[in-house]
Amino acid sequence: MKVHIIGAGSIGGSIALRLSKRGHRVSIFDQNVVTTEMLRKKDPSIEVSSDAFTPGDLTVIALPMNSEEELLLSADFTGPAFDVASVMQPFQEIARLRKIRLISGHPMAGNVHKGPAGWDESMFDGRVFLFSPGEFATGEDLDLVLMVVSELGSSPEYLPPERHDYIVGRISQTAYFLSRTLLKLGGDFEKYSGPGYASTSRLGRQNMDMVLDMARFNGRNIASSLEEAESYLHDIRTAIEEGDLSKLEELISGY
C-alpha cells in the first residue's frame, strides 16, 4: 500500500517509520524540511515529498488541529483521507460540507515530546485506535484505514464523533488542566517532590499549541467536565473543612 502522510511531528513521523518498517511505500510532507530530512536519514526508504498532496492509496493527516482545519477547508481531496486528531466532530462537519472522504482517527497513544524527539515506531503497540468514517467515506476507504491501524499494532474501535469528543474531553483533555492545577500548586516546591508528583503533573507539561487547539475545538466538553470537577472538589473541600471524614470517605471511594 502507498501511504502519504502530511505532517512529520511526533505522531506523523512515528506512523511513517512503522509503516515503512512493515514494508509499505511511505511518502511524507512537512513544511519543516529539516524535520523531513531527519526522518529520511532515519529511514532512507521514506520518500520526502515537496508537495502536500502526493498520489497514494491513502492520505494520513497528522497536523495540529488548526492546520488541519485550514487544509480541509482549502484543499481538493481526490481520494480517502485519514486524520489522527484528538477531536472528530468539527472536522467531520467540514468533510461533510466539502464531500471529503474522511475517516476520523484518534490513536490513544503519544508522549510529551514534539517533533523528532517524539518519534517512536512502537508508540501504537497494544493501544486502542478510535475511528469514525465520515458521510462520504466508502467501504474500501475503511478497509485501508483498518489495515493501517492493524499494521501499527493497534486495536480499532468505532465511536461516533460526538461521543468520541465527549469521552476524550473527560479522560484526556480535561486531565491536562487538572494536571496543570497541580503544577500551579507545587511548581515552587518540585525539588521536594517524588515520582507521584512527576507522573501526575506530566500531562500539564504538554505543548501549549496543542492545548489551545483542544480548547478551541472541544471547549464545550472540556468546560462541562471542569465544571463537574469543580463541584466534586468543592464537596471534598467542604467535607475536610467540616471534619466530616465519613463524607470524605464516601466522596473518594470507588474506581
Side-chain angles (χ1 to χ4, degrees):
M1 176 168 52
K2 172 65 186 298
V3 179
H4 179 61
I5 301 170
I6 304 174
S10 174
I11 298 294
S14 297
I15 292 174
L17 291 169
R18 178 59 174 258
L19 293 182
S20 177
K21 185 176 181 179
R22 297 289 293 175
H24 298 283
R25 291 178 297 148
V26 176
S27 61
I28 195 161
F29 169 84
D30 194 285
Q31 290 183 334
N32 188 331
V33 295
V34 174
T35 297
T36 51
E37 283 305 314
M38 289 176 65
L39 189 63
R40 177 154 55 185
K41 287 181 180 178
K42 195 172 182 67
D43 185 343
S45 67
I46 296 175
E47 174 191 346
V48 174
S49 175
S50 60
D51 190 345
F53 290 94
T54 297
D57 298 310
L58 180 69
T59 297
V60 176
I61 304 171
L63 295 170
M65 286 187 277
N66 65 327
S67 299
E68 178 177 347
E69 180 188 45
E70 293 175 6
L71 185 74
L72 292 175
L73 286 170
S74 62
D76 294 323
F77 288 83
T78 58
F82 179 41
D83 79 349
V84 292
S86 61
V87 173
M88 291 184 178
Q89 192 171 5
F91 304 123
Q92 285 282 7
E93 179 60 21
I94 296 172
R96 184 186 67 80
L97 293 173
R98 301 203 66 228
K99 299 182 179 180
I100 299 170
R101 289 156 56 190
L102 177 69
I103 296 176
S104 295
H106 182 193
M108 303 308 290
N111 53 52
V112 297
H113 303 295
K114 295 177 63 176
W119 291 342
D120 178 6
E121 64 187 52
S122 65
M123 177 189 294
F124 312 100
D125 283 336
R127 309 300 300 180
V128 171
F129 206 121
L130 303 173
F131 74 95
S132 187
E135 181 177 342
F136 294 95
T138 68
E140 290 80 6
D141 298 340
L142 181 57
D143 288 342
L144 290 172
V145 164
L146 293 178
M147 181 186 299
V148 166
V149 172
S150 175
E151 293 285 54
L152 293 175
S154 297
S155 301
E157 184 168 330
Y158 167 76
L159 275 179
E162 299 86 351
R163 182 66 176 165
H164 167 274
D165 292 356
Y166 173 80
I167 291 173
V168 170
R170 296 178 77 85
I171 67 170
S172 176
Q173 295 166 351
T174 299
Y176 165 83
F177 296 99
L178 298 177
S179 180
R180 194 69 199 172
T181 302
L182 181 60
L183 285 172
K184 179 74 172 177
L185 294 173
D188 292 337
F189 314 106
E190 287 192 354
K191 70 176 183 179
Y192 305 111
S193 66
Y197 177 87
S199 61
T200 308
S201 62
R202 180 184 65 84
L203 281 175
R205 304 180 193 274
Q206 291 183 15
N207 77 79
M208 185 61 66
D209 290 340
M210 183 174 67
V211 172
L212 295 177
D213 272 355
M214 292 188 313
R216 177 185 173 196
F217 289 101
N218 203 28
R220 179 175 58 84
N221 285 316
I222 295 172
S224 175
S225 296
L226 286 173
E227 182 179 18
E228 189 173 330
E230 287 175 10
S231 176
Y232 177 62
L233 290 172
H234 177 269
D235 291 344
I236 289 175
R237 189 192 76 189
T238 300
I240 292 173
E241 288 176 342
E242 295 177 353
D244 191 343
L245 299 185
S246 295
K247 181 62 176 179
L248 179 62
E249 182 179 6
E250 177 188 331
L251 286 167
I252 64 176
S253 295
Y255 306 106

